[in-house]
């Protein structure tokens, strides 16, 4: 999961179809994460893989 930024995170509304949401919920549960944490991880991983992140690991 990406590091916390001391309250500087931005919020936004995400509309997602029920089947995709259920899949994300199952994935998050399998990895002992919240859905929010799982979505943050998915986004951070995609940014790294596509070389769009400032922090390259």
């Amino acid at each position: 999961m990406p590091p916390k930024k001391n309250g500087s995170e931005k919020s936004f509304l995400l509309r997602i179809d029920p089947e995709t949401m259920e899949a994300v919920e199952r994935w998050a549960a399998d990895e002992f994460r919240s859905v929010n944490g799982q979505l943050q991880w998915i986004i951070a991983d995609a940014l790294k893989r596509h070389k769009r992140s400032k922090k390259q690991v």
Side-chain angles (χ1 to χ4, degrees):
M1 184 173 5
K4 298 280 181 193
K5 297 179 185 171
N6 300 325
S8 64
E9 293 97 3
K10 293 187 178 185
S11 299
F12 69 97
L13 178 65
L14 174 65
R15 291 189 179 108
I16 189 168
D17 66 88
E19 291 147 5
T20 302
M21 186 63 186
E22 288 172 13
V24 171
E25 288 171 339
R26 284 191 307 271
W27 190 5
D30 289 347
E31 298 193 4
F32 304 104
R33 290 188 177 111
S34 66
V35 170
N36 187 65
Q38 189 69 21
L39 290 170
Q40 288 179 326
W41 180 85
I42 291 167
I43 292 166
D45 183 58
L47 289 170
K48 283 182 223 167
R49 284 187 289 117
H50 294 277
K51 298 179 175 39
R52 301 282 182 159
S53 177
K54 289 182 180 180
K55 294 181 181 180
Q56 298 295 320
V57 177

